[in-house]
Amino acid sequence: AQRVTQPEKLLSVFKGAPVELKCNYSYSGSPELFWYVQYSRQRLQLLLRHISRESIKGFTADLNKGETSFHLKKPFAQEEDSAMYYCALRNQAGTALIFGKGTTLSVSS
Amino acid sequence: NAGVTQTPKFRILKIGQSMTLQCTQDMNHNYMYWYRQDPGMGLKLIYYSVGAGITDKGEVPNGYNVSRSTTEDFPLRLELAAPSQTSVYFCASSYTGGGDTEAFFGQGTRLTVV
């Protein structure tokens, strides 16, 4: 079965603290994973994709096939990082994305 | 650049009414999608299309219909609205369906069925 699990509904941290948003997946073969973000009053947009191994806005995510995880990390959270974060997995047919339930990140000063 | 445009942004329907959610994209993308998002849940795929004239069911297609007569437009039709269809609907598009292709989303349509 193809599935994405984001165990935390809400993550609250203080400004400057490290952040880790958890994502676990279930997939047969080599997964294609993404993080999407939705800031307040904005549309859902791509944050980063594992295949690019990029760092966007200080966020990184490493694919760990052994633990079937793709956690999103940032060493020092900023207030502007407050948003809803979705982990997504390309489906086996390659036709669409499967989304987790999302985690709300709240960064306060 | 308009990207993906959805209309309307909000709508209240009575049980049994029908409506069409409009979605258009100006990026010449082949793939288009309709997702719904219920409170506290992730986005669930309703229907998708890999090109004009081709549509296919997603995870939760019951109660909906789609068409793709042009590359740009991908309307979603609700024939007999039910309270279970109260949700936020997102349309998205991408150039292809595979690889590291980015999906671009509309701003969403909040539908309430009463």
Side-chain angles (χ1 to χ4, degrees):
Chain A
Q2 305 163 78
R3 188 169 56 246
V4 176
T5 303
Q6 293 180 252
E8 302 144 327
K9 198 170 182 177
L10 171 67
L11 183 63
S12 297
V13 301
F14 287 107
K15 179 182 172 182
V19 169
E20 183 179 55
L21 298 166
K22 291 183 167 47
C23 173
N24 290 92
Y25 67 89
S26 175
Y27 189 86
S28 296
S30 294
E32 293 169 5
L33 289 150
F34 306 79
W35 277 98
Y36 279 78
V37 60
Q38 188 171 28
Y39 301 103
S40 179
R41 297 190 179 85
Q42 295 186 28
R43 59 188 67 196
L44 197 60
Q45 59 187 285
L46 178 68
L47 179 63
L48 55 79
R49 61 201 105 185
H50 95 270
I51 200 168
S52 304
R53 300 184 64 82
E54 56 204 343
S55 173
I56 302 293
K57 298 184 179 183
F59 284 99
T60 59
D62 290 319
L63 176 61
N64 185 323
K65 289 188 177 181
E67 295 183 358
T68 59
S69 68
F70 187 57
H71 302 328
L72 183 67
K73 299 177 183 179
K74 185 169 183 176
F76 307 103
Q78 303 298 315
E79 288 182 76
E80 55 265 30
D81 296 328
S82 295
M84 185 75 159
Y85 291 81
Y86 294 94
C87 184
L89 167 71
R90 177 87 59 204
N91 68 359
Q92 208 92 41
T95 51
L97 293 171
I98 300 167
F99 286 85
K101 293 183 179 181
T103 298
T104 299
L105 175 63
S106 176
V107 182
S108 54
S109 56
Chain B
N1 282 343
V4 178
T5 303
Q6 289 181 237
T7 56
K9 290 185 181 177
F10 304 94
R11 183 72 186 268
I12 298 175
L13 275 184
K14 292 186 178 178
I15 295 172
Q17 286 185 321
S18 62
M19 77 163 293
T20 299
L21 281 65
Q22 301 291 346
C23 177
T24 186
Q25 52 92 7
D26 62 359
M27 296 173 283
N28 201 32
H29 283 169
N30 294 313
Y31 283 64
M32 294 188 75
Y33 318 86
W34 275 106
Y35 287 91
R36 61 176 285 174
Q37 182 182 35
D38 300 327
M41 306 295 289
L43 282 72
K44 293 187 183 296
L45 184 66
I46 305 171
Y47 271 95
Y48 67 96
S49 168
V50 302
I54 305 169
T55 62
D56 211 342
K57 294 178 180 179
E59 184 183 356
V60 289
N62 291 344
Y64 306 95
N65 279 300
V66 293
S67 60
R68 185 94 182 271
S69 57
T70 67
T71 299
E72 294 79 21
D73 301 306
F74 191 43
L76 178 72
R77 179 88 178 155
L78 282 73
E79 290 294 349
L80 290 170
S84 61
Q85 293 177 304
T86 293
S87 190
V88 180
Y89 292 83
F90 291 98
C91 179
S93 73
S94 63
Y95 185 61
T96 69
D100 63 349
T101 305
E102 177 178 356
F104 292 84
F105 284 80
Q107 75 269 43
T109 296
R110 187 174 295 274
L111 176 67
T112 302
V113 182
V114 295

